[in-house]
Amino acid sequence: MEWSSLLEAVPNRLSCASQSSVVDDVLFLVRKCVRRATSSGSVDCVCAALNNGVALLETTFYQHLFGAVQTGYPSTTFAAEALQTAQNAYNVIQHGKASEAGPDLQRETFLTAANNAKGTADLLLDLRKGLEQEWSKTQRSEIEAGKLDNAVSQLSDVSRKMHHLASLAMESLCKTVFRPKLKTSCDAYADIAHTLTDSQLAEFEAVDPFIEQFNANLDKQIASFESVLHKENFQTLLLTVCSEVERQMERVIMKCSFNRLGGLQLDREFRQLSAYLSGIAGWTARERCARLAQIVALLNVENVEEAVELREATRTSSIARILSASDAIKVLQLRVDLPAALVQKLEL
């Protein structure tokens, strides 16, 4: 089977989680060629077969996947959907049928390419391991062993390249699908009161004004991708979304004003958010939200002295993403019940 016919079959021959069977086909051809070369008894022949296989993987196959990822996941915003509807209507009027290259096909092609990239990355490492185990059964000179090791190491290089492509795809997916909705959801947080009275704090405890619905909406959106993504791609997407949640929440928090009770409510909301994110993405999600955790902690101090102590403790901790002194001052300035003059003079 020719490479071109294999690649043309990508959208139509799918296995689990939208991964095309072309991955197995391509790796089978490479493995078959290398094993046939091995049967010749010539190390140079084996190296040549590997070099040719790697060249095809790095060029023809990679570019095919890269093109699909670069095209991107179709936008899910209202404007994009309205434009697509208008284009379909135009095609029906002009040609009597809707365009076949619509958002559904683009969506499937993108997800398949991302899954194929990750699947290829994993299988290339398996292929290298299998070849090395087979070769270890034959006694060879140091020079011949060195040639084989150098040739087969190229499979790991291509694997890293494919893994990186899959990661880029998940970043693109987050940017296109999750960022717009997260931005809209987080913007609603600014409309809620954050300078609270005791009665308002009690009311918010009884009827949550934001975070429960925020988590529910995010969970629904995330769940729609679990069945269509490679397991590791889905995990990468989860962590990427965690980082995006932190960025959007920090952005909107910095637009608000808080008092001590408002800080307590924010702490309550952050704990719920952190528990949810770590529940779906693992402990690493907490690391992704380390900066937001520091912001919440600063907004919960009772006085400026406690803020200084908190900063000292943070600097001596193992937290990787520590707020800068200027950022810490900006956060404390959100507290309307702390002396502005003292906050401005703090050396954090």
Side-chain angles (χ1 to χ4, degrees):
M1 183 180 291
E2 296 181 356
W3 282 75
S4 58
S5 61
L6 279 173
L7 299 183
E8 288 171 359
V10 170
N12 302 316
R13 302 167 57 212
L14 301 178
S15 57
C16 60
S18 294
Q19 179 174 305
S20 170
S21 60
V22 73
V23 174
D24 294 323
D25 293 340
V26 167
L27 269 294
F28 172 79
L29 289 176
V30 174
R31 181 169 56 249
K32 190 73 172 179
C33 290
V34 173
R35 283 179 172 168
R36 283 188 176 181
T38 302
S39 66
S40 71
S42 170
V43 169
D44 290 336
C45 184
V46 175
C47 292
L50 269 171
N51 290 340
N52 287 332
V54 167
L56 287 169
L57 288 168
E58 283 189 315
T59 55
T60 307
F61 191 47
Y62 178 84
Q63 288 301 323
H64 176 78
L65 298 180
F66 178 78
V69 170
Q70 191 175 43
T71 299
Y73 192 89
S75 177
T76 56
T77 61
F78 175 78
E81 291 178 351
L83 177 60
Q84 184 60 46
T85 300
Q87 288 176 335
N88 286 339
Y90 175 80
N91 287 327
V92 170
I93 294 172
Q94 293 294 317
H95 309 292
K97 63 177 181 178
S99 173
E100 295 180 0
D104 290 340
L105 179 59
Q106 184 181 346
R107 184 180 298 111
E108 182 180 319
T109 301
F110 175 89
L111 294 174
T112 300
N115 289 335
N116 282 352
K118 189 67 188 76
T120 301
D122 294 340
L123 289 176
L124 283 172
L125 296 180
D126 291 340
L127 175 59
R128 176 178 180 173
K129 183 179 179 180
L131 291 174
E132 288 176 334
Q133 288 177 344
E134 291 179 16
W135 295 341
S136 66
K137 300 174 183 178
T138 303
Q139 190 72 25
R140 291 187 173 88
S141 68
E142 186 175 340
I143 294 177
E144 289 180 329
K147 287 182 178 180
L148 289 175
D149 184 62
N150 182 65
V152 80
S153 67
Q154 297 176 93
L155 296 177
S156 295
D157 295 337
V158 181
S159 175
R160 284 190 290 271
K161 192 173 181 179
M162 292 290 183
H163 178 78
H164 181 62
L165 178 60
S167 297
L168 288 178
M170 294 305 98
E171 291 176 9
S172 174
L173 182 60
C174 178
K175 181 179 179 180
T176 302
V177 177
F178 288 86
R179 181 177 294 176
K181 293 186 178 181
L182 282 173
K183 185 177 184 299
T184 301
S185 296
C186 289
D187 283 343
Y189 185 77
D191 298 329
I192 302 170
H194 304 293
T195 305
L196 306 180
T197 62
D198 288 327
S199 60
Q200 285 176 312
L201 182 63
E203 181 183 339
F204 284 175
E205 184 175 7
V207 181
D208 179 81
F210 174 76
I211 199 63
E212 289 182 2
Q213 189 61 49
F214 178 86
N215 287 348
N217 291 340
L218 180 58
D219 189 66
K220 182 178 180 181
Q221 192 177 15
I222 287 174
S224 65
F225 287 96
E226 185 171 10
S227 63
V228 296
L229 285 175
H230 186 287
K231 183 178 179 180
E232 292 183 31
N233 276 348
F234 183 64
Q235 182 64 23
T236 300
L237 177 65
L238 289 177
L239 293 176
T240 305
V241 169
C242 288
S243 297
E244 187 63 33
V245 168
E246 184 195 47
R247 280 192 293 269
Q248 295 299 333
M249 283 301 297
E250 178 180 345
R251 176 185 62 82
V252 74
I253 285 172
M254 297 306 292
K255 296 179 180 180
C256 302
S257 297
F258 298 82
N259 63 359
R260 177 75 176 95
L261 297 181
L264 287 174
Q265 174 63 18
L266 175 61
D267 180 69
R268 184 185 298 161
E269 292 166 332
F270 175 71
R271 289 177 186 276
Q272 285 185 255
L273 176 63
S274 181
Y276 166 70
L277 294 178
S278 60
I280 62 171
W283 188 258
T284 308
R286 292 182 180 269
E287 297 177 1
R288 297 292 179 104
C289 295
R291 183 178 170 90
L292 185 58
Q294 295 169 67
I295 292 173
V296 173
L298 283 171
L299 289 173
N300 269 275
V301 297
E302 292 188 6
N303 49 54
V304 292
E305 289 77 14
E306 185 179 341
V308 173
E309 293 175 2
L310 179 62
R311 286 288 293 174
E312 287 292 337
T314 302
R315 276 196 293 268
T316 58
S317 69
S318 59
I319 298 176
R321 300 167 61 224
I322 297 178
L323 284 175
S324 66
S326 60
D327 285 343
I329 294 293
K330 290 177 182 177
V331 171
L332 288 173
Q333 287 174 335
L334 301 178
R335 280 285 299 275
V336 297
D337 51 351
L338 292 179
L342 287 179
V343 170
Q344 189 64 41
K345 294 178 181 179
L346 285 177
E347 295 183 2
L348 301 177

